[in-house]
Amino acid sequence: MNRTRTLRLTSMAAVMSIIVIGAAGSTGMGSLSAFGVEDISAICPLGYLEAALAGRDVIPQLLVSFLVVAGLTALLGRIFCGWVCPIPLVRKLLINKIDEGQTDGENNSDRNSSTQPVFKESEATRVTYPQAGNDLRKSSPTGLIILGVTLGSSAICGFPVFCLICPIGLVFATLFALLRLIRFNEPTMDIIVFPVIVIIELVFLKKWCSKLCPVGALLSIFSRFNHSLAPTVDRSRCLEEAHNTKCQLCRSACSFDIDLKNGLGMGDISTCTKCRECADNCPVQAIRFPWR
């Protein structure tokens, strides 16, 4: 496992540990789905929209947290998905993959020219530039559709329907159920039902994060405005452009199929989670982020 993946898993594990330790000590702040400290309360942005539509109420106190999350995502991009959300960590435990696009046991030191993915000639050699304003067109239509269904079902049913099956919430609900079992000897069906739902979503719905997750789809709308922290390609070092060699390792490593050079992939830069898989898999270190 490369250094970036280790750092990401450590970051996710640290967030989960803080929440679980707080719950175990009865001083918890909640979870990533809903949390608060004294008079300050917040809820996940999708949860807020669901609650607002279900209750036909703006909920001013929670609106502030919604706007804060939207602003941070516009500034930092979908960094939550790549560094905070517990789902990649759970996926690593279940199927030994932190990201959907990752190939087991691969890193840039294991690659050579014989294993480089080869795309069609027109895709590998054509030099164009991503056009601004195409974010929604290139965002996963399935994710946006599920986002619409999620919000519509909440408005119709009068309660946040998706929250019942959200894998982020279910991961923490499972941990809290285990805590109750250990501390108070209170076994519940939650310990069985919640993990089963999470396994179905992550193991059988293999493209959950990149294609299906409505939380990610919502954050991608906010991150359309993020440009300062986007990865860039040093074209003077890129194998394809500087050495006329077919490569596309960066694109193949991306779970969202983002093509940083030519914009030919299905994913748009707004879906970038700052996971650095593209940079870590580039054999000539031609991809750079604003931070090292």
Side-chain angles (χ1 to χ4, degrees):
M1 185 186 300
N2 62 35
R3 179 173 176 269
T4 303
R5 288 179 192 165
T6 301
L7 289 174
R8 289 175 59 207
L9 289 174
T10 301
S11 174
M12 298 167 193
V15 172
M16 293 182 66
S17 298
I18 291 172
I19 292 174
V20 171
I21 291 173
S26 301
T27 58
M29 298 179 294
S31 69
L32 293 178
S33 301
F35 54 92
V37 178
E38 296 183 354
D39 295 332
I40 301 175
S41 59
I43 190 172
C44 94
L46 179 59
Y48 166 76
L49 291 179
E50 288 185 275
L53 289 171
R56 275 73 171 177
D57 187 5
V58 176
I59 319 176
Q61 186 176 7
L62 296 181
L63 175 60
V64 174
S65 67
F66 173 82
L67 295 176
V68 169
V69 172
L72 289 174
T73 306
L75 179 65
L76 303 174
R78 284 180 56 178
I79 199 168
F80 169 84
C81 300
W83 293 81
V84 179
C85 179
I87 297 308
L89 175 58
V90 175
R91 183 186 293 111
K92 177 67 177 177
L93 296 175
L94 290 176
I95 58 175
N96 197 32
K97 288 185 179 181
I98 182 173
D99 293 308
E100 294 169 355
Q102 176 189 333
T103 302
D104 291 335
E106 284 189 333
N107 55 49
N108 52 6
S109 64
D110 298 326
R111 300 179 185 271
N112 54 53
S113 58
S114 65
T115 62
Q116 292 175 359
V118 177
F119 290 79
K120 294 179 180 179
E121 182 72 17
S122 60
E123 290 189 10
T125 59
R126 177 184 171 194
V127 179
T128 59
Y129 294 86
Q131 298 295 317
N134 290 336
D135 303 59
L136 287 179
R137 177 178 64 81
K138 298 189 68 175
S139 295
S140 168
T142 307
L144 293 174
I145 291 171
I146 292 178
L147 174 60
V149 171
T150 297
L151 299 178
S153 62
S154 297
I156 295 172
C157 298
F159 69 95
V161 179
F162 177 72
C163 290
L164 298 177
I165 60 171
C166 174
I168 300 174
L170 292 180
V171 167
F172 287 105
T174 300
L175 294 176
F176 295 157
L178 287 173
L179 280 177
R180 289 198 302 271
L181 176 63
I182 295 172
R183 295 185 63 191
F184 307 111
N185 194 26
E186 294 181 2
T188 65
M189 288 299 295
D190 297 356
I191 300 177
I192 298 176
V193 175
F194 293 167
V196 168
I197 297 175
V198 172
I199 290 173
I200 291 174
E201 291 174 333
L202 299 187
V203 176
F204 296 100
L205 303 178
K206 296 183 179 181
K207 295 296 183 180
W208 176 265
C209 292
S210 61
K211 301 294 184 183
L212 304 175
C213 178
V215 177
L218 179 61
L219 293 180
S220 290
I221 295 176
F222 300 148
S223 65
R224 292 178 61 196
F225 304 98
N226 172 248
H227 301 290
S228 59
L229 295 183
T232 57
V233 178
D234 183 346
R235 295 175 184 270
S236 66
R237 304 182 67 175
C238 176
L239 285 178
E240 285 195 347
E241 299 192 23
H243 304 282
N244 196 29
T245 302
K246 291 183 180 179
C247 180
Q248 292 277 323
L249 285 175
C250 54
R251 178 178 169 187
S252 68
C254 179
S255 298
F256 296 86
D257 191 31
I258 300 173
D259 185 348
L260 294 172
K261 299 189 301 298
N262 305 321
L264 298 175
M266 292 300 296
D268 188 87
I269 196 65
S270 65
T271 62
C272 177
T273 63
K274 323 301 180 189
C275 69
R276 287 187 55 89
E277 285 294 324
C278 55
D280 290 339
N281 281 274
C282 178
V284 292
Q285 292 78 51
I287 299 176
R288 298 178 180 177
F289 282 77
W291 65 90
R292 289 290 181 180

